[in-house]
Amino acid sequence: MKKPAPTVTPNTWDFLKDPMITPTGFREYDARWKYPDEINLPGITALGLGLGTQMHARGIKPEIAVANDYRDYSLSIKNALILGLMQAGISVKDIGPAVSPMAYFSQFYLDVPAVAMVTASHNPNGWTGVKMGFDRPLTHGPDEMSELRDIVLEGRGQARPGGAYEFVDGVKEAYLDDLAGDFKMSRKLKVVCATGNGTACAFAPDLFRRIGVEVVESHNTLDYTFPHYNPNPEAMEMLHDMADSVKASKADFALGFDGDGDRCGVVDDEGEEIFADKVGVIMARDLSKIYPNATFVADVKSTGLFASDPELIANGVKADYWKTGHSHMKRRVKEIGALAGFEKSGHYFLAEPIGRGYDCGLRVAVEICKLMNRNPDKSMSDLRRALPQTWATPTMSPYCADTEKYATLDRLVAKLVAKADAGEPLAGRAIKEVVTVNGARVILDNGAWGLVRASSNTPNLVVVCESPESDAEMRAIFADIDAVIRTEASVGDYDQTI
């Protein structure tokens, strides 16, 4: 295998011939590049050869399920990846266009050990990447990604005989059958289904109708130009659009899905956006009645209510706060035998007996409908209002280059720890502790907190703040955290702010 060049220059002879890969595309738990600015098709083939080589090195049966999301270039990317996998002697089972959780499902359904899903996830058009895994339901974490990066960038991919290709039809139907089961709603439910013209268009409306839900369609026509907004249920643009649809249709709530269908966002019957961590608390309350003394994992961006909510405490719930990121969370849920994991970004990890442990926005949608069925006299806004009130920011992401963000974060963590050690207040309150498992979560004496961490898949930092006291305190926390962030010249503008 030829060693890939680290810079990419489109519209050149070499670009059509030789592998070119920007090294920063190998991230903590998946691979993402701007295409064709940071990787070319021969580079994708080199990635496939490297992934196949990694499978052989780990003694994994040389079979893999491969799929792609609905973008105009994803099929080309997938075909280039398949070429590399076959060069490595891997038998490829191509399940066609899919949402990421359908690809994860196919590992179980087809009984294959490995998966490679070509997707840019919730990133805007112009991005591509691969989510991959060898140990179902897990996906690559930092160790596996570092190993794969070295194999690929050092040109250590090895060609072998035995490569094969098969297109496998019918996985989509089996996936929908698995999601719906024999469940049917017994209460009337009218739900806005928001897909932002992304891949979930091909799945979510049909699934809702199968379980007896009346569907209000919202941008449910496949269109890879994303003419209305980039499908990302963590972005206020999508959530506001969902809220408008709920009010216009008088729906019971709205459920929205990201570009590859592994995340779910919720807007209630009053048009209020419920951030996914709060939806997680609502689900945990319901599930802990059925499964008392359950353990739930929450990521460090999530509300403190998993640990402090009186109803969860009464049901014997144990809360475990862990690193943000779908691979980290899946692994943690499996390691400690948790019933579920909840991430503020909208990834939910429902383990046995509810799900298989991987993140599936459509599985969550079905479980939310079941929850509403178990609470026939409650609206979604009733369930929201029943939670102890907190005030939280959306996830806010200031720009910081991939080559600088981790060093920048290290300095910011040191500054925030020093602030706590010196007894300095934040937002006028004493700092109780600074949790540094994933960035810095600065916890105040009343349970309020502010977080800064590095994004695992884009050139950004990530900032979230929450107060159990007031909107004003939440804003004060953000102001003080941001003041520390602004001491770093490498940090740019936010994608959204309060």
Side-chain angles (χ1 to χ4, degrees):
M1 169 182 163
K2 186 168 183 176
K3 194 173 177 180
T7 55
V8 180
T9 309
N11 198 13
T12 62
W13 180 260
D14 288 345
F15 183 78
L16 293 181
K17 179 172 69 76
D18 298 329
M20 300 180 182
I21 304 174
T22 301
T24 52
F26 291 94
R27 300 173 187 274
E28 276 186 56
Y29 42 79
D30 53 31
R32 301 214 191 157
W33 293 272
K34 284 187 176 177
Y35 172 75
D37 303 338
E38 297 176 349
I39 195 165
N40 64 351
L41 290 176
I44 295 288
T45 296
L47 177 66
L49 178 59
L51 183 62
T53 300
Q54 186 182 32
M55 289 175 66
H56 284 295
R58 287 177 169 245
I60 292 162
K61 185 181 179 183
E63 289 183 0
I64 191 167
V66 178
N68 60 281
D69 67 10
Y70 192 81
R71 312 232 182 188
D72 64 338
Y73 45 84
S74 289
L75 181 57
S76 299
I77 300 287
K78 182 180 73 175
N79 287 339
L81 184 77
I82 287 171
L83 181 62
L85 287 163
M86 291 175 66
Q87 284 177 352
I90 305 298
S91 177
V92 174
K93 297 186 183 298
D94 181 357
I95 64 170
V99 287
S100 289
M102 175 179 143
Y104 304 148
F105 166 78
S106 73
Q107 285 181 276
F108 293 87
Y109 179 66
L110 301 176
D111 193 23
V112 294
V115 66
M117 172 70 191
V118 172
T119 179
S121 189
H122 64 278
N123 286 24
N125 270 331
W127 285 84
T128 191
V130 184
K131 293 179 178 179
M132 59 211 109
F134 297 158
D135 182 16
R136 61 193 185 199
L138 306 182
T139 43
H140 274 23
D143 292 345
E144 294 88 352
M145 286 307 300
S146 295
E147 181 182 75
L148 176 62
R149 179 196 62 216
D150 293 346
I151 291 169
V152 174
L153 296 184
E154 293 170 11
R156 293 194 279 114
Q158 292 183 330
R160 296 171 186 250
Y165 174 86
E166 176 189 4
F167 186 87
V168 182
D169 222 341
V171 179
K172 176 187 171 186
E173 292 72 22
Y175 170 58
L176 288 171
D177 287 345
D178 185 69
L179 288 169
D182 58 3
F183 172 69
K184 287 282 187 185
M185 293 295 302
S186 57
R187 71 178 277 187
K188 285 188 175 180
L189 208 58
K190 184 178 181 180
V191 176
V192 172
C193 175
T195 56
N197 306 103
T199 320
C201 290
F203 298 85
D206 290 348
L207 176 63
F208 285 139
R209 292 188 181 101
R210 284 177 63 158
I211 64 174
V213 170
E214 181 184 349
V215 176
V216 178
E217 299 212 8
S218 176
H219 312 311
N220 290 165
T221 303
L222 285 165
D223 186 340
Y224 45 57
T225 67
F226 302 152
H228 301 285
Y229 51 73
N230 179 49
N232 176 5
E234 200 174 13
M236 299 310 294
E237 183 182 18
M238 182 171 183
L239 291 167
H240 288 162
D241 190 81
M242 289 162 62
D244 291 343
S245 296
V246 166
K247 291 171 185 173
S249 64
K250 295 183 169 53
D252 291 295
F253 51 89
L255 296 175
F257 306 92
D258 69 339
D260 69 328
D262 60 6
R263 295 192 297 145
C264 182
V266 180
V267 172
D268 72 18
D269 50 294
E270 295 179 353
E272 286 287 317
E273 299 99 0
I274 313 178
F275 294 138
D277 55 344
K278 295 285 184 71
V279 176
V281 177
I282 292 170
M283 292 182 73
R285 279 182 157 198
D286 181 70
L287 291 171
S288 61
K289 292 173 190 169
I290 305 169
Y291 307 100
N293 305 313
T295 297
F296 295 104
V297 180
D299 80 316
V300 294
K301 292 192 298 181
S302 287
T303 177
L305 287 176
F306 287 102
S308 64
D309 175 51
E311 190 163 324
L312 292 184
I313 292 169
N315 291 341
V317 163
K318 183 187 175 195
D320 181 81
Y321 284 88
W322 196 242
K323 299 174 185 177
T324 293
H326 66 86
S327 183
H328 294 308
M329 291 288 289
K330 272 185 279 240
R331 199 168 298 265
R332 186 66 171 176
V333 167
K334 184 178 181 183
E335 277 177 358
I336 67 173
L339 181 64
F342 304 105
E343 198 174 4
K344 189 180 172 74
S345 63
H347 289 273
Y348 301 74
F349 311 87
L350 304 175
E352 296 286 356
I354 308 163
R356 292 187 179 84
Y358 54 76
D359 37 340
C360 178
L362 298 168
R363 168 63 63 198
V364 172
V366 171
E367 293 305 317
I368 288 173
C369 292
K370 289 181 180 178
L371 181 155
M372 298 305 293
N373 217 45
R374 288 192 288 266
N375 295 273
D377 57 337
K378 296 283 197 329
S379 67
M380 185 64 79
S381 59
D382 290 336
L383 297 174
R384 168 178 57 82
R385 276 192 293 269
L387 299 180
Q389 187 167 10
T390 69
W391 290 261
T393 68
T395 301
M396 303 172 290
S397 300
Y399 178 81
C400 192
D402 282 322
T403 52
E404 299 180 15
K405 65 187 181 186
Y406 290 108
T408 299
L409 178 68
D410 287 344
R411 292 192 295 273
L412 289 171
V413 170
K415 290 172 186 177
L416 289 166
V417 168
K419 193 176 179 72
D421 289 346
E424 296 177 23
L426 190 94
R429 284 195 173 273
I431 297 172
K432 181 183 174 186
E433 64 175 321
V434 181
V435 177
T436 57
V437 67
N438 190 204
R441 179 164 166 144
V442 183
I443 301 172
L444 307 185
D445 59 5
N446 66 340
W449 56 272
L451 169 80
V452 58
R453 59 177 292 274
S455 170
S456 301
N457 45 42
T458 57
N460 295 101
L461 300 180
V462 175
V463 180
V464 183
C465 306
E466 181 185 52
S467 166
E469 298 281 343
S470 67
D471 180 77
E473 183 177 74
M474 175 264 285
R475 291 173 182 275
I477 293 167
F478 172 59
D480 282 6
I481 293 278
D482 187 55
V484 177
I485 290 170
R486 291 299 141 200
T487 63
E488 292 290 335
S490 59
V491 183
D493 294 336
Y494 284 84
D495 63 333
Q496 58 183 2
T497 187
I498 53 175

